[in-house]
Amino acid sequence: MSDVTIEPLYDYPERERVLALAAEHAEAVDTGERSPFENLREIAKDGLLTLGRTGSLVPQTAVAYDLASQDASTGFSLWAHRSTIAFFDAVGRELPEGLAEATTSGTTAMAAAYKEAAGIGPIKVLGTLVEGGVKLNGTISWASNLYPNGVIVLPVAVQNALQGHSDRYIVTVRQDVPGLKIAYHRNLLALNGTESGTLTFEDVFVPTEDILTEDFPGFLAKVTAPFLLVQSAFCLGLAAGALQSAAGHLQVSGGIFKQEFEGLIERYRTLRATLLRLAAEPEHAQKRELLQLRLDVSHLATTATHFELQTVGGIGYVAGSPTARRVREATFLPVQSPTEGHLRYELAKFENAAGSPIQETAAAAS
């Protein structure tokens, strides 16, 4: 079965160039010798960071998938950057200069928003209304694509003194804004090139014009589909890369792995079909399906990378090998927001809804 080719997510004119670019620089990105944003700037020249801003999201998910099949760091960076673009689209704002071209980086610092909406954790950046805007204090434990002058989008809990409760805002800041400190996370198992770190806000001033919206649930409803679909595509691409590698080693140990491989291929095809269906009409995607897909593709990526290691053998255990890199990359998926625990918690709520029909969609308030 060495001639097995894993069916790609979707074909597009620039696909071979995208695959070649990611493959050529995968090792350099993994070792920190090259930034994944160098790759993103290259594909941005063909408009591949702004696909699906209206209508079908399939072409954009395909780019994320293809990048991740060769280099998960670049696939992940594309997801975070493309999510930032979706945030501005959701509120009808023009994109900040350089975002479409990746000369300005986009950072999604939205994990706390989704956790609070799900009821599993508070927003830890607090806002105080001041003349001309809002002042921020607090922390965000993890954000990525943290490059100089980059655009960051985050949720803020703003105390409403008149009504005695906190309002939820979505705001944008620049990385270089006074009062924002970044502690970068180094020596990660993988994805070191993604420039991830903890953000600390100390009296950071956000002018009124940089408050993107005060409609917290409405905003989440609009961005959930692109957020999870491009993320799911990056996970599925990682799985596909592992399965393609494993396909060349199925004769080992008397072919004992062939039946297991066929089972993994069937799972891959099912999830591929689900991703394509949901991405074709993201505005109609049900939240439950989006969450389940994200959980399932992360499980497949974990299983597929370990399967690759089993079939490739000892050479895959060499730290610098593509096999070892994919195994390390897959270990990130359970902790990537939404985390394994977050996904399972929200899906359990659907299961415990006493069998009532699922009405919630990505276009309805979450």
Side-chain angles (χ1 to χ4, degrees):
M1 299 183 71
S2 60
D3 59 346
V4 171
T5 299
I6 308 302
E7 187 176 8
L9 186 62
Y10 173 82
D11 197 13
Y12 52 97
E14 303 85 2
R15 182 168 185 266
E16 292 304 319
R17 293 208 303 276
V18 169
L19 290 169
L21 177 71
E24 178 184 359
H25 300 294
E27 182 177 357
V29 170
D30 183 52
T31 58
E33 296 175 8
R34 178 181 173 92
S35 166
F37 259 78
E38 294 183 62
N39 293 338
L40 296 189
R41 281 192 288 272
E42 284 298 313
I43 67 173
K45 296 174 183 177
D46 292 318
L48 298 182
L49 302 183
T50 52
L51 301 171
R53 293 176 66 187
T54 59
S56 173
L57 199 58
V58 168
Q60 189 68 83
T61 60
V63 176
Y65 167 103
D66 285 333
L67 288 171
S69 72
Q70 309 300 315
D71 167 22
S73 291
T74 300
F76 169 82
S77 291
L78 169 63
W79 160 75
H81 189 81
R82 182 59 179 77
S83 292
T84 308
I85 291 172
F87 298 158
F88 283 89
D89 287 343
V91 295
R93 296 283 191 100
E94 290 188 10
L95 298 184
E97 183 178 356
L99 206 60
E101 299 79 18
T103 53
T104 299
S105 60
T107 294
T108 165
M110 290 291 294
Y114 285 105
K115 288 180 179 178
E116 176 153 299
I120 58 176
I123 293 172
K124 295 183 179 180
V125 176
L126 307 180
T128 303
L129 293 175
V130 296
E131 184 177 356
V134 60
K135 189 170 290 187
L136 311 184
N137 285 278
T139 60
I140 290 175
S141 60
W142 193 291
S144 302
N145 290 352
L146 295 170
Y147 297 94
N149 201 41
V151 175
I152 303 171
V153 177
L154 68 146
V156 179
V158 179
Q159 183 64 34
N160 189 319
L162 294 178
Q163 299 183 23
H165 63 80
S166 293
D167 295 323
R168 271 51 181 161
Y169 291 2
I170 304 296
V171 307
T172 181
V173 300
R174 290 284 182 158
Q175 180 173 322
D176 307 77
V177 67
L180 174 57
K181 298 179 180 178
I182 300 175
Y184 285 95
H185 302 313
R186 304 302 185 192
N187 299 317
L188 305 175
L189 287 176
L191 283 81
N192 269 302
T194 59
E195 290 299 280
S196 300
T198 295
L199 309 180
T200 300
F201 296 83
E202 297 179 354
D203 289 334
V204 172
F205 176 70
V206 177
T208 301
E209 58 267 26
D210 287 340
I211 298 173
L212 296 182
T213 183
E214 298 176 31
D215 181 6
F216 183 75
F219 177 83
L220 291 186
K222 290 180 180 179
V223 302
T224 292
F227 185 91
L228 289 177
L229 287 169
V230 179
Q231 190 179 82
S232 294
F234 132 67
C235 297
L236 189 64
L238 174 56
L243 292 173
Q244 187 63 69
S245 173
H249 300 272
L250 295 179
Q251 303 303 323
V252 300
S253 302
I256 194 66
F257 292 109
K258 290 181 181 179
Q259 185 173 356
E260 186 176 352
F261 179 78
E262 289 296 338
L264 290 172
I265 290 298
E266 285 304 309
R267 285 175 59 190
Y268 167 80
R269 288 171 177 161
T270 298
L271 294 174
R272 174 183 177 273
T274 300
L275 175 57
L276 287 172
R277 174 173 58 82
L278 295 177
E281 297 183 293
E283 69 277 12
H284 298 307
Q286 292 187 341
K287 185 178 179 182
R288 182 180 189 176
E289 283 195 293
L290 292 167
L291 294 169
Q292 189 67 61
L293 174 65
R294 167 63 175 82
L295 182 63
D296 290 345
V297 291
S298 64
H299 285 173
L300 177 61
T302 300
T303 302
T305 52
H306 280 273
F307 180 79
E308 179 190 0
L309 182 60
Q310 291 170 339
T311 58
V312 169
I315 190 63
Y317 196 66
V318 176
S321 70
T323 298
R325 186 185 72 244
R326 281 188 283 269
V327 170
R328 289 186 285 105
E329 289 168 343
T331 61
F332 175 66
L333 302 184
V335 301
Q336 180 186 14
S337 183
T339 64
E340 172 101 8
H342 182 164
L343 292 166
R344 291 171 63 177
Y345 176 84
E346 289 220 58
L347 287 166
K349 288 198 300 182
F350 281 111
E351 294 297 328
N352 294 332
S356 60
I358 300 301
Q359 300 294 336
E360 184 175 5
T361 70
S366 59

